[in-house]
């Protein structure tokens, strides 16, 4: 469980850095860098959603054990 919480924090930080990178890229006319940060933000968001689903499933399974 601690590993999942640590991964969630890492993914959240990745999303924040990516959003800041998107802002920087488009403010400085660096569309390629902005596009790269969009892709990384989407990737971190995908991983975060997948981790959240797995975490909820694990909690449900843990609650249903006798």
């Amino acid at each position: 469980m601690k590993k999942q919480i640590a991964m969630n924090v890492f993914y959240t930080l990745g999303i924040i850095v990516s959003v800041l990178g998107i802002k920087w890229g488009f403010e400085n006319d660096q569309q390629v860098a902005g596009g790269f940060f969009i892709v990384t933000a989407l990737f971190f968001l995908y991983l975060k959603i997948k981790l959240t689903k797995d975490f909820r499933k694990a909690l449900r399974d843990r609650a249903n054990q006798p």
Side-chain angles (χ1 to χ4, degrees):
M1 178 156 342
K2 290 180 183 180
K3 180 182 175 184
Q4 290 176 332
I5 292 171
M7 291 299 288
N8 190 27
V9 170
F10 174 73
Y11 294 156
T12 303
L13 288 174
I15 292 169
I16 291 170
V17 169
S18 295
V19 168
L20 292 174
I22 293 167
K23 184 178 182 282
W24 171 84
F26 286 108
E27 282 180 353
N28 293 312
D29 294 325
Q30 299 288 328
Q31 282 79 18
V32 174
F36 173 74
F37 283 118
I38 289 172
V39 171
T40 58
L42 291 174
F43 178 68
F44 279 123
L45 188 61
Y46 166 76
L47 291 174
K48 187 173 172 82
I49 290 170
K50 186 176 175 185
L51 179 71
T52 303
K53 286 182 182 180
D54 292 343
F55 186 72
R56 286 183 182 180
K57 184 181 178 204
L59 286 177
R60 263 185 276 144
D61 292 344
R62 187 181 236 185
N64 291 336
Q65 287 181 351

